[in-house]
Amino acid sequence: MVAARLGCIADDFTGASDLASQLVSVGMRVVQTIGVPGSPLETECDAVVVSLKSRTFAPDEAVRHSLRALEWLRGAGCERFFFKYCSTFDSTPDGNIGPVADALLDALGEDFTLAVPSLPANRRTVYNGYLFAGDVLLNESGMQDHPLTPMRDAFLPRVLQPQTHRPVGLVSYHALAGGAAGVRRRIAELRAKGVGIAVCDTLDHRDLVSIAEGSADLRLLTGGSGLGLTLPATFAGFAPRGDAARLHPVGGRALVLAGSCSRATLAQIEHAKARIPAKSVDVDALFTEFDAHVDELVAFAALNAGEAPVLIHAGMAPERLREVQTRYGTAASGERVERALATVARRLVREGGVRRVLVAGGETSGAVVEALGVTGLRIGPSIDPGVPWTQSVGTPEPLALALKSGNFGGEDIMTRAFELLP
């Protein structure tokens, strides 16, 4: 039976790996499950991250899946809970951040939580309630062009309020100047006013420490992966483990699959194309001759297999992306790309000797791990902030998997990642 103390619910697969990586980096042993397990987890660990694919679900469906995850984690004896979403606060006017947070609070019998999307290590910060990506507001960062959850407003209290029946407040940098005590005072003020969810300013790691310490009595926290660096220390008796990130070596061929069209991933694709064999997905062909085009992608990867990874990608410029979505529909075009890349992964693992795979894009990562029959992941060493190597659970042979958010990673991650494997 799992002996975890912290139970986490992530709304996509790469976000789950991101959070798990932060927890491992400070000495927690972490297992990431693919969906809600159907039985107790027979792996000793300090934290469990249940990875869902609920970010783009309808709100009621996202709530249903999240409550199932909470029920399983409570049954596993977890003491505190964390609802993890992207540091870019990916959402829509209907949800899903607000509806899921509301449902989790109600199920736990709690009246207050914090929203802390920041990840300063990746330059995701909040100031006066405004979310910044690097030096620009979120809605100027490229997220305004996201195909599924375009973010056109950087003021998070205004984004969140229509999604929840609870009043939304702000723990500003003024409160954080007082450290953990300042956070506790501000939480008490907001609760006295009937506020149920408060967005937190966060400028650096010290703010994450203050937030974690100042909210140590809250059973539920929500946010990005940044709090994963400071939350473990608030558990009484927690002692970091030096072997938390240890994985067994995995040999075999290497593959990179990129379904994301984020600016960061597009730059990574361009960098990789100059160094390793690469082939782009023809979305038009996926709608006219799906099987034949998948055969073509598999054949390319098999022909170019060697010591270096092979890249199969669906990256395209925003103008081309809009053209594709207009012609075929946003959901339909995304589903075709995900299914194609997942099929390529399954065939190359089964028939082509591929055992090491890096995937760029949350939705694509979810499709790939499902196609590979992965039921869980042991979390290993970090490649870049928020991007760990992991090892599969539930597959005939262990696979080394790196599931990368589209926005994460350095420009050279698609080649450098494989140099870091034992």
Side-chain angles (χ1 to χ4, degrees):
M1 180 70 172
V2 67
R5 302 179 69 185
L6 176 62
C8 307
I9 302 165
D11 67 358
D12 81 345
F13 290 94
T14 57
S17 296
D18 175 14
L19 174 60
S21 176
Q22 309 295 359
L23 295 171
V24 166
S25 73
V26 292
M28 269 194 160
R29 297 166 301 170
V30 183
V31 170
Q32 176 181 339
T33 71
I34 310 304
V36 181
S39 60
L41 195 65
E42 300 294 339
T43 303
E44 198 70 21
C45 59
D46 303 302
V48 178
V49 183
V50 177
S51 50
L52 305 177
K53 202 178 178 184
S54 56
R55 182 174 301 174
T56 54
F57 285 174
D60 57 346
E61 189 177 5
V63 165
R64 181 170 59 84
H65 283 263
S66 300
L67 289 176
R68 281 187 59 228
L70 177 65
E71 180 182 8
W72 186 88
L73 290 166
R74 293 180 78 176
C78 293
E79 303 167 13
R80 297 178 66 193
F81 305 92
F82 189 88
F83 168 40
K84 197 277 175 193
Y85 41 81
C86 188
S87 61
T88 50
F89 214 75
D90 289 23
S91 200
T92 70
D94 295 327
N96 289 333
I97 294 172
V100 171
D102 280 342
L104 296 176
L105 283 170
D106 291 343
L108 291 168
E110 300 291 326
D111 67 346
F112 185 86
T113 190
L114 297 176
V116 192
S118 307
L119 180 56
N122 275 10
R123 304 185 71 201
R124 305 288 191 272
T125 55
V126 179
Y127 176 71
N128 273 336
Y130 286 87
L131 178 55
F132 286 78
D135 296 324
V136 300
L137 289 166
L138 179 68
N139 56 297
E140 300 172 4
S141 68
M143 278 301 297
Q144 69 271 27
D145 297 318
H146 193 284
L148 300 177
T149 52
M151 296 300 293
R152 301 191 174 104
D153 188 354
F155 188 57
L156 299 189
R158 185 165 55 224
V159 173
L160 184 57
Q161 187 59 79
Q163 302 180 24
T164 172
H165 61 81
R166 291 176 164 85
V168 175
L170 176 67
V171 178
S172 75
Y173 69 96
H174 295 292
L176 287 160
V183 172
R184 283 192 291 270
R185 284 193 297 269
R186 182 57 176 159
I187 289 175
E189 292 171 1
L190 292 170
R191 291 177 102 159
K193 295 177 181 178
V195 170
I197 306 178
V199 173
C200 286
D201 279 2
T202 319
L203 300 179
D204 54 31
H205 182 79
R206 290 171 298 179
D207 289 341
L208 290 175
V209 173
S210 298
I211 292 166
E213 294 178 352
S215 63
D217 62 339
L218 297 181
R219 290 185 70 199
L220 174 70
L221 291 171
T222 84
S225 65
L227 273 182
L229 295 168
T230 57
L231 188 57
T234 66
F235 283 84
F238 170 70
R241 295 181 61 99
D243 61 351
R246 185 176 299 163
L247 296 177
H248 297 297
V250 174
R253 292 174 175 170
L255 175 68
V256 179
L257 299 169
S260 172
C261 293
S262 71
R263 288 182 183 177
T265 296
L266 292 179
Q268 292 159 1
I269 290 169
E270 289 305 309
H271 184 275
K273 283 165 61 178
R275 292 160 177 83
I276 61 175
K279 186 172 182 62
S280 63
V281 174
D282 183 341
V283 181
D284 294 318
L286 293 181
F287 280 88
T288 57
E289 44 185 0
F290 182 91
D291 292 339
H293 188 48
V294 168
D295 288 343
E296 182 183 348
L297 297 173
V298 170
F300 174 84
L303 180 64
N304 289 277
E307 292 187 7
V310 176
L311 168 63
I312 305 294
H313 69 91
M316 60 188 81
E319 313 81 58
R320 170 60 179 159
L321 178 62
R322 284 191 289 270
E323 178 188 335
V324 166
Q325 292 174 334
T326 299
R327 182 179 305 171
Y328 301 112
T330 299
S333 54
E335 185 276 334
R336 288 288 172 116
V337 169
E338 292 163 22
R339 182 155 56 94
L341 293 177
T343 304
V344 168
R346 183 176 63 247
R347 288 180 55 182
L348 288 172
V349 166
R350 289 181 178 177
E351 308 159 12
V354 167
R355 296 291 180 269
R356 299 173 295 151
V357 185
L358 184 150
V359 188
E363 299 302 312
T364 307
S365 293
V368 167
V369 296
E370 182 177 355
L372 294 178
V374 178
T375 59
L377 299 167
R378 294 186 181 91
I379 307 303
S382 176
I383 304 165
D384 277 331
V387 189
W389 274 113
T390 73
Q391 198 163 97
S392 66
V393 175
T395 52
E397 294 184 50
L399 303 174
L401 299 171
L403 309 175
K404 185 189 83 66
S405 167
N407 294 298
F408 281 12
E411 189 176 65
D412 62 347
I413 190 172
M414 292 181 176
T415 52
R416 180 172 50 84
F418 297 92
E419 300 169 2
L420 302 178
L421 277 173

